[in-house]
């Protein structure tokens, strides 16, 4: 049955390659011709998975008290110890701090966003530079996404569309804005989710133009150029970027779509991920590819996604799509999902970085987490601490001249925070820099939060080794 499903998936991918509208779009990478896809369709099954010598996975210890485990992932650019927090270097850079901070904070893996790197400086440019590791000067493990999350996030929610309209716009304008996304409604009703992308400077208008079987068409926020991303072009771009772990193109839908729409989206993601895997296996280039499990908070669809994707020779599994509207829904989802995901490969929870969710995810057996949350809140006035978030912009800290550890905790011992702020400065100095708009404020705060995440994950790893969680 699974073999037939794989064959059908490839046949659908072949159909998707046919010209639909006769419009020529600029694409990020060379598009496969119809002939190329016919060659692909002749392979009605994938080879059995064999662990690659350049990407190995080893379970160091499984807790006797929970599903938590401590593992080691070996990549061409170093080792990742899990559970791990993955810092987000959107454009190949951490905001406000150099890459060396990750090593100091004991964070092994960095996330790079394909969408942003495609637009600037371009994946061909990174290929000429010798790949992302040489380009950014960090010879440590990296992971890239397909670009899909950012592309689908370009679509505005219904309430955002209302806000973006001028008083003179009529109903026809509104209708056009809501119907230009192709076969599926990606604007939804705007329900807030645990993992959602808020309105940004790049999201002032609806830039998501069309979603069809072939891929997704959108406009660049930089210059308005019409672009198209397909499973094949996303993989080709990630090959040029050169991260150690890459992800297939998938479809991102909103939390509050209908069950039928969600089911269709899961099927489409499976077809796109299958095409991505075929493209990847043409030239592996010492890269691993994780599948992305979908299904929203619907257990039946999540189970279907696990069963299909685990039948294919992916190197690991990412948990994607909508993860619920709050932490409780995420908790319930992981309680159902983690026991049915195979434990012989690494897994990753996409886009989650808050401490309660990480703690529960670790107990359920999640290996790694990524989020821009710790670095983003640092630039907006918040330090992570043992006593909860600390808003360093509050007036009470303007005259706190003692060590920051007096407020943030961990003032002594091996677990002492070794960031520059905690070693050399005071919260009063940090507050002064922030009020003066000195970039050093955001550097100090960001470095502290990354160190905090590194220490937090090290505690989780040690607690697992000691069977404490």
């Amino acid at each position: 049955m699974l073999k037939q499903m794989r064959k059908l998936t490839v046949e659908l991918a072949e159909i998707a390659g046919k010209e639909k509208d006769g419009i020529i779009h600029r694409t990020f990478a060379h598009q496969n011709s119809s002939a190329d896809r016919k060659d692909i369709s002749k392979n009605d099954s994938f080879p059995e998975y064999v662990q690659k010598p350049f990407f190995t996975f080893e379970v160091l210890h499984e807790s006797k008290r929970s599903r938590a485990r401590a593992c080691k992932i070996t990549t061409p650019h170093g080792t990742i110890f899990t559970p791990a927090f993955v810092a987000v270097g959107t454009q190949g850079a951490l905001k406000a701090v150099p890459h060396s901070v990750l090593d100091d904070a004991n964070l092994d893996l960095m996330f790079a966003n394909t969408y942003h790197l495609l637009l600037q400086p371009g994946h061909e440019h990174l290929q000429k530079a010798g790949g992302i590791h040489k380009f950014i000067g960090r010879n440590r493990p990296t992971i890239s996404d397909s670009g899909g999350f950012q592309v689908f996030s370009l679509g505005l929610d219904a309430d955002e569309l209302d806000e973006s309209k001028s008083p003179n716009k009529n109903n026809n304008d509104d209708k056009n804005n809501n119907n230009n996304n192709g076969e599926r409604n990606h604007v939804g009703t705007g329900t807030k989710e645990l993992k959602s992308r808020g309105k940004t400077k790049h999201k002032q208008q609806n830039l998501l133009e069309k979603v069809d079987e072939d891929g997704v068409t959108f406009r660049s926020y930089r210059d308005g150029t019409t672009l198209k991303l397909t499973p094949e072009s996303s993989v080709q771009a990630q090959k040029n970027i050169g991260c150690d772990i890459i992800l297939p193109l998938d479809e991102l839908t909103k939390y509050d779509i209908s069950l039928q729409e969600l089911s269709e989206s899961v099927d489409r993601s499976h077809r796109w991920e299958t095409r991505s895997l075929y493209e990847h296996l043409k030239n592996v280039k010492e890269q691993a590819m994780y599948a992305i499990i979908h299904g929203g908070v619907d257990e039946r669809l999540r189970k279907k996604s696990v069963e299909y994707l685990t039948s294919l020779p992916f190197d690991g599994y990412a948990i994607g799509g909508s993860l619920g509207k709050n932490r409780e829904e995420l908790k319930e989802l992981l309680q159902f999902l983690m026991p049915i995901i195979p434990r012989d490969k690494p897994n990753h929870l996409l886009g989650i970085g808050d401490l309660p969710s990480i703690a529960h995810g670790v107990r359920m057996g999640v290996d790694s987490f990524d989020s821009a949350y710790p670095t983003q809140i640092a630039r907006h006035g918040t330090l992570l601490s043992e006593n909860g978030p600390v808003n360093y912009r509050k007036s009470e800290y303007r005259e706190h001249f003692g060590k920051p550890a007096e407020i943030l905790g961990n003032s002594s011992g091996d677990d002492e925070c070794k960031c520059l702020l905690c070693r050399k400065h005071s919260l009063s100095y940090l507050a002064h820099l922030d009020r003066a708009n000195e970039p050093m404020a955001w550097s100090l705060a960001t470095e502290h939060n990354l160190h905090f995440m590194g220490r937090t994950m090290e505690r989780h790893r040690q607690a697992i080794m000691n069977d404490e969680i």
Side-chain angles (χ1 to χ4, degrees):
M1 180 63 180
L2 287 173
K3 184 176 181 180
Q4 293 174 338
M5 289 172 64
R6 289 194 292 266
K7 184 174 181 180
L8 176 60
T9 298
V10 177
E11 290 173 348
L12 289 169
E14 177 187 352
I15 294 171
K18 296 180 180 178
E19 189 76 26
K20 289 184 175 63
D21 52 15
I23 298 175
I24 298 175
H25 300 283
R26 173 187 161 196
T27 56
F28 287 132
H30 168 70
Q31 293 292 304
N32 287 337
S33 65
S34 298
D36 291 333
R37 291 189 181 171
K38 287 182 180 179
D39 290 337
I40 293 173
S41 69
K42 292 178 182 177
N43 298 320
D44 60 358
S45 65
F46 286 90
E48 293 294 326
Y49 180 76
V50 177
Q51 184 167 272
K52 301 173 176 64
F54 57 84
F55 185 83
T56 61
F57 175 68
E58 178 185 357
V59 178
L60 302 177
H61 184 75
E62 293 182 318
S63 174
K64 295 179 176 62
R65 300 180 55 139
S66 69
R67 296 185 60 83
R69 61 185 189 174
C71 307
K72 180 173 74 172
I73 304 170
T74 303
T75 77
H77 293 91
T79 300
I80 306 161
F81 288 98
T82 74
F85 175 75
V86 185
V88 176
T90 300
Q91 305 199 51
L94 300 165
K95 284 184 169 55
V97 295
H99 299 129
S100 59
V101 169
L102 292 181
D103 296 328
D104 296 338
N106 202 22
L107 297 174
D108 301 316
L109 184 60
M110 187 180 83
F111 211 112
N113 294 125
T114 293
Y115 166 77
H116 291 285
L117 292 174
L118 288 171
L119 297 183
Q120 173 66 35
H123 63 91
E124 299 96 339
H125 187 85
L126 286 170
Q127 183 185 37
K128 291 178 183 178
I132 191 168
H133 298 91
K134 289 185 178 179
F135 187 63
I136 70 174
R138 184 174 191 260
N139 195 36
R140 299 286 289 128
T142 55
I143 178 174
S144 60
D145 60 5
S146 68
F149 178 80
Q150 285 78 20
V151 168
F152 282 108
S153 296
L154 294 173
L156 292 178
D157 292 333
D159 54 348
E160 292 174 321
L161 285 168
D162 289 339
E163 291 175 6
S164 67
K165 290 190 299 180
S166 69
N168 296 326
K169 286 195 175 183
N170 56 34
N171 291 334
N172 289 332
D173 291 331
D174 185 55
K175 181 178 180 180
N176 290 336
N177 279 333
N178 280 281
N179 291 341
N180 61 4
N181 291 332
E183 299 175 3
R184 188 167 355 268
N185 176 16
H186 287 269
V187 293
T189 61
T191 297
K192 297 300 181 183
E193 302 180 44
L194 181 62
K195 186 183 76 173
S196 62
R197 184 176 173 87
K199 192 170 183 180
T200 69
K201 63 181 179 181
H202 302 151
K203 200 175 174 186
Q204 303 300 318
Q205 56 182 316
N206 197 349
L207 300 177
L208 180 62
E209 294 192 342
K210 182 181 180 182
V211 181
D212 58 25
E213 190 63 34
D214 194 42
V216 55
T217 304
F218 61 99
R219 284 179 289 125
S220 167
Y221 70 83
R222 289 181 173 272
D223 58 13
T225 303
T226 297
L227 309 166
K228 188 165 188 176
L229 189 66
T230 69
E232 293 77 18
S233 69
S234 171
V235 172
Q236 291 159 8
Q238 290 183 82
K239 294 294 175 185
N240 289 341
I241 293 170
C243 288
D244 299 283
I245 303 169
I246 64 176
L247 298 178
L249 184 65
D250 59 336
E251 183 176 33
L252 176 69
T253 55
K254 299 296 182 182
Y255 171 84
D256 46 9
I257 62 174
S258 70
L259 184 59
Q260 179 179 346
E261 287 179 307
L262 179 59
S263 179
E264 292 171 354
S265 174
V266 170
D267 290 339
R268 173 172 285 171
S269 285
H270 288 172
R271 295 191 294 271
W272 282 1
E273 291 186 56
T274 302
R275 287 165 55 188
S276 298
L277 182 59
Y278 266 115
E279 189 68 23
H280 166 60
L281 292 178
K282 289 180 181 179
N283 184 15
V284 174
K285 293 184 68 173
E286 294 199 341
Q287 292 174 301
M289 177 179 277
Y290 286 11
I292 304 178
I293 297 167
H294 275 270
V297 294
D298 185 88
E299 293 183 357
R300 182 184 64 84
L301 290 176
R302 285 286 180 179
K303 185 173 186 292
K304 173 183 176 180
S305 190
V306 169
E307 290 176 347
Y308 178 72
L309 293 172
T310 56
S311 75
L312 302 178
F314 286 100
D315 300 288
Y317 308 108
I319 302 168
S322 175
L323 301 175
K325 60 185 178 182
N326 53 43
R327 291 171 184 162
E328 189 58 34
E329 276 199 324
L330 173 61
K331 181 178 180 180
E332 292 174 359
L333 174 63
L334 292 179
Q335 287 172 339
F336 167 79
L337 190 57
M338 294 310 297
I340 64 174
I341 295 178
R343 288 172 68 84
D344 61 339
K345 297 178 183 179
N347 64 70
H348 180 85
L349 184 58
L350 286 164
I352 297 298
D354 66 282
L355 299 177
S357 296
I358 287 178
H360 180 260
V362 166
R363 289 191 295 273
M364 292 306 302
V366 175
D367 295 321
S368 53
F369 311 77
D370 76 273
S371 178
Y373 170 75
T375 52
Q376 186 178 57
I377 62 172
R379 302 191 304 274
H380 292 83
T382 299
L383 298 173
L384 296 173
S385 85
E386 305 303 323
N387 305 314
V390 172
N391 183 350
Y392 61 80
R393 289 175 174 169
K394 285 187 175 181
S395 59
E396 61 192 274
Y397 300 121
R398 293 184 183 181
E399 294 190 5
H400 189 278
F401 304 114
K403 290 185 176 181
E406 296 171 3
I407 301 297
L408 305 177
N410 291 338
S411 59
S412 62
D414 294 337
D415 203 30
E416 181 180 6
C417 183
K418 296 178 175 58
C419 78
L420 186 60
L421 172 65
C422 290
R423 287 189 293 112
K424 299 287 186 179
H425 302 297
S426 66
L427 293 182
S428 176
Y429 182 57
L430 178 64
H432 154 67
L433 293 175
D434 183 63
R435 292 197 310 278
N437 289 320
E438 286 288 347
M440 186 177 174
W442 313 313
S443 297
L444 291 173
T446 299
E447 181 185 357
H448 169 82
N449 283 358
L450 289 173
H451 273 258
F452 182 90
M453 296 305 298
R455 295 198 324 280
T456 297
M457 302 316 295
E458 177 57 35
R459 283 194 217 106
H460 284 311
R461 290 191 292 268
Q462 193 59 52
I464 293 169
M465 298 299 290
N466 295 337
D467 292 315
E468 296 172 352
I469 60 174

